[in-house]
């Protein structure tokens, strides 16, 4: 309790303040009695020291030295028994006390020193007991609020009303997620000012940070969490760190928020693991496009938006050293932070200790991925390389296995050198090059060269002629080979080829025509696979 509160109590009746400029707002945490001249070794913060003055009756300089030492140690005040060994407090003592703003008290001569100590301790302990009771009551009330889902704003509103200060929750990206109503419309302004003050891209600290906003102090208390990507801070504007009630209450609030954050983090971690397993099953099983589209839809993922794939592999400087999952998980957190900063719609998951992510092609390119590598270097351990392989194709997520294989093969292009590598997939076969043609152009090309065959009245005839034409072009225009492969007579092959030329109005002896038709057939087969 503060000294003025103690002096106003019944237990302190008769105690007078000697010096006019005494600071009576100091906190009193304990009462001590001086029994020996070497008391300076036993002074503690917040102590009110009482004495008869016996040791100073003939040594005023020693009393002056004691006052300075008590001020330095953070003591609350000194009380001297009235008219016991001093008829009056020496003027030089009063002068120094005023200079230090250190309270000097005159204790009533009619009450024994031990009784004064007992009475003051009784009042002090009662005050501390009342303080703890209030904190327990508030803690119970706040615990009830924090256990209710989606009541964080109400929780902070209650805190603000208790401590009389504006409060908010802010994440590592300087984004205020919740606050009391009074500063609700200042979220962005506060976040931008704090980022400017702290001058760090990410707010990653484990200790209390003191900064400012509009000439007001702001104290940020880190909230403990098991997962780095969920770091939060409780911000308090104009927080009085010298108020023990508020300080103790805030510590209880931090504990409650840590519990709530841990609960949220565990839920999010469970969702991440489910997501990892979901994408891993796709890469292993390679389901057909329709089934994959349905699965992605159930996950709330737009499967038709064109995406690229990139894979990040961590490699230790010491070749042969194993990478544990915890390190990979930490790199995942930093990638997630980086993507959040870019406000990208991306899918991230871990597969066999590699980090895989799918994002729009404007992000997965050499320029942006070099920035990502630099970002990882800045925020991660210097003992690792970050090799990245990325797909050349930009396809719908229904082609997820294809995109993954491209990124995987690009990753193998990197050499095991003492640098991080960044490689794009290089197509090696004509079928892979055909994957790079946009869908609308594929459909247009197929229609321009095969429309009449595809749209024959009889589907059976259409399929037979398309297959015969494909085998004819694939096998060097050998009628005998086509007959053998299709188990038909060579005259049937000749008959079909004549019909194909009639329907398409082309001459199959023209090499340019044959090349165009072969490309159209390959595109058609690829389109059907999709």
């Amino acid at each position: 309790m503060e000294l003025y509160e103690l002096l106003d109590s019944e237990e302190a009746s008769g105690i007078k303040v000697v010096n006019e400029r005494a600071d009576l707002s100091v906190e009193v945490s304990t009462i001590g009695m001086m029994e020996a001249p070497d008391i300076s070794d036993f002074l503690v913060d917040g102590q009110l020291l009482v004495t008869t003055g016996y040791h100073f009756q003939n040594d005023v300089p020693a009393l002056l030295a004691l006052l300075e030492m008590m001020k330095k140690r953070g003591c609350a005040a000194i009380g001297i028994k009235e008219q016991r060994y001093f008829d009056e407090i020496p003027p030089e003592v009063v002068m120094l006390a005023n200079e230090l703003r250190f309270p000097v008290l005159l204790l009533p001569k009619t009450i024994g020193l031990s009784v004064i100590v007992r009475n003051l301790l009784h009042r002090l302990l009662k005050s501390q007991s009342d303080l703890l009771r209030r904190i327990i009551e508030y803690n119970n009330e706040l615990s009830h609020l924090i256990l209710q889902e989606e009541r964080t704003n109400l929780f902070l509103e209650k805190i603000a009303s208790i401590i009389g200060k504006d409060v908010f929750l802010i994440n590592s990206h300087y984004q205020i997620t919740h606050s009391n109503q009074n500063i609700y419309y200042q979220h962005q302004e506060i976040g931008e000012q704090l980022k400017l003050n702290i001058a760090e891209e990410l707010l990653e600290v484990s200790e209390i940070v003191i900064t400012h906003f509009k000439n007001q102090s702001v104290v940020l208390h880190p909230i403990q969490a098991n997962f780095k990507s969920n770091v939060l801070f409780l911000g308090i504007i104009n927080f009085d760190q010298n108020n023990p009630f508020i300080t103790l209450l805030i510590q209880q609030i931090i504990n409650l928020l840590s519990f709530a954050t841990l609960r949220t983090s565990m839920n999010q971690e469970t969702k991440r693991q489910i997501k990892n397993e979901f994408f891993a099953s796709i890469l292993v099983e390679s389901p057909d496009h329709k089934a994959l589209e349905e699965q992605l839809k159930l996950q709330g993922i737009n499967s038709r938006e064109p995406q690229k794939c990139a894979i990040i592999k961590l490699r230790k400087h010491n070749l042969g050293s194993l990478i544990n999952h915890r390190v990979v998980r930490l790199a995942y957190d930093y990638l997630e932070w980086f993507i959040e900063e870019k406000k990208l719609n991306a899918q991230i998951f871990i597969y066999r200790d590699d980090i895989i992510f799918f994002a729009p092609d404007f992000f997965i390119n050499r320029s942006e991925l070099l920035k990502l590598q630099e970002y990882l270097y800045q925020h991660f351990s210097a003992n690792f390389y970050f090799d990245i392989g990325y797909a050349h194709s930009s396809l719908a997520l229904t082609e997820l296995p294809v995109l993954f294989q491209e990124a995987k093969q690009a990753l193998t292009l990197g050499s095991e050198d003492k640098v991080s590598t960044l490689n794009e997939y290089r197509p090696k076969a004509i079928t892979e090059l055909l994957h790079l043609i946009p869908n609308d152009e594929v459909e247009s090309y197929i229609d321009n060269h095969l429309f009449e065959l595809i749209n024959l009245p009889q589907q059976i005839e259409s399929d037979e002629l398309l297959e015969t034409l494909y085998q004819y072009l694939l096998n060097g225009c050998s009628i005998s080979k086509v007959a053998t492969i299709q188990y038909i007579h060579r005259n049937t092959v000749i008959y079909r080829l004549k019909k194909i030329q009639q329907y398409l109005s082309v001459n199959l002896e023209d090499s340019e025509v044959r090349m165009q038709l072969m490309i159209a057939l390959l595109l058609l087969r690829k389109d059907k696979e999709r």
Side-chain angles (χ1 to χ4, degrees), residues 288-330:
D288 62 67
H289 293 165
K290 188 174 181 181
L292 180 52
E293 187 173 358
E294 287 298 318
Q295 290 179 43
L296 292 168
K297 188 176 180 181
L298 288 173
Q299 295 287 327
I301 298 171
N302 181 0
S303 61
R304 299 189 179 183
E305 182 183 355
Q307 303 268 296
K308 277 189 174 183
C309 175
I311 302 175
I312 301 175
K313 178 180 282 293
L314 275 74
R315 178 162 50 91
K316 276 193 172 182
H317 287 187
N318 298 325
L319 293 178
S321 298
L322 296 177
I323 304 290
N324 64 52
H325 183 76
R326 186 175 180 181
V327 173
V328 176
R329 179 64 180 78
L330 185 59

Side-chain angles (χ1 to χ4, degrees), residues 3-19:
L3 180 58
Y4 79 87
E5 293 177 294
L6 181 61
L7 295 178
D8 283 344
S9 67
E10 184 180 347
E11 289 83 352
S13 176
I15 297 178
K16 303 171 187 175
V17 181
V18 175
N19 52 319

Side-chain angles (χ1 to χ4, degrees), residues 445-507:
Y445 192 90
I446 293 170
D447 284 346
N448 286 340
H449 294 87
L450 298 173
F451 181 83
E452 291 79 7
L453 286 185
I454 293 171
N455 293 282
L456 289 174
Q458 298 295 324
Q459 185 65 44
I460 294 177
E461 182 184 16
S462 174
D463 292 343
E464 286 177 346
L465 294 181
L466 286 168
E467 183 62 23
T468 297
L469 177 59
Y470 176 73
Q471 294 299 337
Y472 177 71
L473 296 174
L474 186 66
N475 290 282
C477 302
S478 170
I479 293 174
S480 298
K481 281 188 178 180
V482 175
T484 302
I485 290 168
Q486 292 197 292
Y487 300 102
I488 56 177
H489 196 277
R490 71 187 312 274
N491 288 340
T492 303
V493 176
I494 294 170
Y495 174 72
R496 288 182 180 178
L497 292 174
K498 285 181 179 179
K499 289 184 72 176
I500 289 167
Q501 292 182 93
Q502 290 173 0
Y503 283 134
L504 297 179
S505 300
V506 296
N507 180 5

Side-chain angles (χ1 to χ4, degrees), residues 99-323:
E99 185 181 323
L100 298 174
R101 298 197 66 202
F102 187 78
V104 175
L105 309 178
L106 205 57
L107 308 178
K109 61 183 179 180
T110 56
I111 305 175
L113 207 59
S114 59
V115 175
I116 292 174
V117 171
R118 183 199 65 191
N119 291 344
L120 293 179
L121 274 175
H122 178 268
R123 183 66 189 88
L124 190 60
L125 291 172
K126 185 177 184 303
S127 172
Q128 292 173 344
S129 176
D130 290 343
L131 179 66
L132 288 173
R133 179 180 52 76
R134 286 169 59 204
I135 289 174
I136 291 170
E137 289 175 355
Y138 285 134
N139 186 65
N140 290 339
E141 187 175 353
L142 293 170
S143 296
H144 178 71
L145 287 176
I146 203 69
L147 288 172
Q148 298 181 48
E149 297 290 343
E150 301 178 1
R151 303 298 295 275
T152 307
N153 282 332
L154 183 59
F155 178 80
L156 294 179
E157 200 68 55
K158 184 65 180 178
I159 295 171
S161 69
I162 293 171
I163 67 175
K165 306 291 181 183
D166 290 321
V167 295
F168 57 88
L169 288 178
I170 188 168
N171 63 22
S172 294
H173 301 277
Y174 300 93
Q175 298 167 337
I176 293 181
T177 59
H178 301 87
S179 75
N180 63 302
Q181 186 65 33
N182 192 46
I183 55 172
Y184 184 79
Y185 296 103
Q186 296 178 275
H187 285 189
Q188 184 174 350
E189 187 180 2
I190 295 172
E192 288 174 354
Q193 181 64 59
L194 297 187
K195 186 172 184 177
L196 190 64
N197 296 346
I198 297 171
E200 292 288 344
E201 187 176 353
L202 282 176
L203 187 55
E204 296 180 85
V205 292
S206 57
E207 298 178 351
I208 293 174
V209 175
I210 300 175
T211 180
H212 66 274
F213 170 69
K214 288 185 175 179
N215 299 320
Q216 302 178 91
S217 68
V218 177
V219 179
L220 300 178
H221 298 263
I223 298 169
Q224 298 301 317
N226 279 3
F227 307 108
K228 244 177 143 32
S229 57
N230 293 295
V231 175
L232 283 174
F233 298 82
L234 175 66
I236 307 175
I237 297 176
N238 281 338
F239 175 52
D240 181 7
Q241 297 186 78
N242 295 319
N243 187 318
F245 167 69
I246 300 299
T247 302
L248 190 55
L249 181 61
I250 290 301
Q251 188 55 59
Q252 296 304 307
I253 290 168
I254 295 296
N255 292 340
L256 289 173
L257 287 171
S258 296
F259 166 75
T261 302
L262 178 59
R263 179 185 62 189
T264 302
S265 299
M266 290 179 69
N267 289 339
Q268 291 177 346
E269 190 65 14
T270 300
K271 289 179 182 177
R272 283 192 189 92
Q273 298 213 5
I274 292 172
K275 188 176 185 180
N276 288 346
E277 292 169 5
F278 167 72
F279 280 107
S281 68
I282 292 173
L283 297 180
V284 172
E285 298 169 9
S286 297
D288 62 67
H289 293 165
K290 188 174 181 181
L292 180 52
E293 187 173 358
E294 287 298 318
Q295 290 179 43
L296 292 168
K297 188 176 180 181
L298 288 173
Q299 295 287 327
I301 298 171
N302 181 0
S303 61
R304 299 189 179 183
E305 182 183 355
Q307 303 268 296
K308 277 189 174 183
C309 175
I311 302 175
I312 301 175
K313 178 180 282 293
L314 275 74
R315 178 162 50 91
K316 276 193 172 182
H317 287 187
N318 298 325
L319 293 178
S321 298
L322 296 177
I323 304 290

Side-chain angles (χ1 to χ4, degrees), residues 411-447:
L411 198 60
T412 63
L413 298 174
S415 60
E416 292 286 322
D417 205 349
K418 294 181 179 180
V419 292
S420 294
T421 59
L422 175 61
N423 292 290
E424 183 178 10
Y425 174 71
R426 303 165 191 165
K428 296 183 282 295
I430 189 168
T431 52
E432 294 174 339
L433 288 170
L434 295 177
H435 257 306
L436 308 180
I437 303 174
N439 289 341
D440 54 347
E441 294 186 22
V442 168
E443 293 172 5
S444 175
Y445 192 90
I446 293 170
D447 284 346

